[in-house]
Amino acid sequence: AIDIRADGAGELRAHSFHEFLEEKGITLTTSIRDAHQQNGSAERVIRTLTESIAVMLYVANLPSSLWEYALLFAAHVYNRRAHSALPNGFTPMEALTGVKPQIKYLRAFGCLAWPKVRTQGHNKLLPRSGPPGRLIGYHTNRLGTGSNGYILYYPQDQSVSVPLRDVLFNEKPIL
């Protein structure tokens, strides 16, 4: 059985959420609302992720409006690294799924990325990639055990791509 601990904040009060947890055999223990000292490790994770997204956006020179993507990116990486709270150097994903996560698809947040384009016909002179974007996220499968696509941000028109599978990356720092 899995036991999770959370504060008594409003986002966890939905009846459907409690039904979902019960269906999955997960026990939810709540502490007193706004009693941060009772949520030491959870508050530390939140602080770690918050600090991470601030640094990621700054280093990548991306707008703060992308904070949600940066948060999901940081959490994605955080859940795929070993934690001292877990035995044998396990990652949170490994503890949840029983499978060691593959991480070879991970790339640097904000790096330049070109989506591959399928060429029509056999003209070797046609471009093989679309306009450059910046990597801001991963689209994962239901269990989150791998990447099913990359999410790019296009500064030119401030748009975000649908998940793309074939992408070329340049992870060298952008000056």
Side-chain angles (χ1 to χ4, degrees), residues 82-96:
H83 288 266
S84 60
L86 295 172
N88 302 323
F90 277 25
T91 69
M93 288 302 300
E94 189 174 3
L96 180 65

Side-chain angles (χ1 to χ4, degrees), residues 52-121:
S52 296
I53 64 174
V55 170
M56 290 164 51
L57 289 169
Y58 178 78
V59 169
N61 196 24
L62 290 171
S64 60
S65 60
L66 296 173
W67 71 268
E68 293 175 77
Y69 291 99
L71 174 61
L72 291 171
F73 195 101
H76 186 90
V77 173
Y78 184 86
N79 287 326
R80 285 156 181 79
R81 65 176 186 84
H83 288 266
S84 60
L86 295 172
N88 302 323
F90 277 25
T91 69
M93 288 302 300
E94 189 174 3
L96 180 65
T97 64
V99 178
K100 189 170 188 81
Q102 297 298 312
I103 58 171
K104 60 185 169 189
Y105 64 90
L106 292 177
R107 299 287 182 256
F109 180 82
C111 71
L112 285 173
W114 291 264
K116 290 184 184 178
V117 176
R118 290 195 176 132
T119 57
Q120 299 294 332

Side-chain angles (χ1 to χ4, degrees), residues 69 72-73 76 80 105-106 135-152 160-165 167 169:
Y69 291 99
L72 291 171
F73 195 101
H76 186 90
R80 285 156 181 79
Y105 64 90
L106 292 177
L135 176 66
I136 60 168
Y138 302 105
H139 183 264
T140 57
N141 61 22
R142 196 171 60 80
L143 292 175
T145 54
S147 177
N148 291 341
Y150 299 96
I151 301 171
L152 306 183
V160 174
S161 73
V162 295
L164 302 164
R165 191 184 75 186
V167 180
F169 295 100

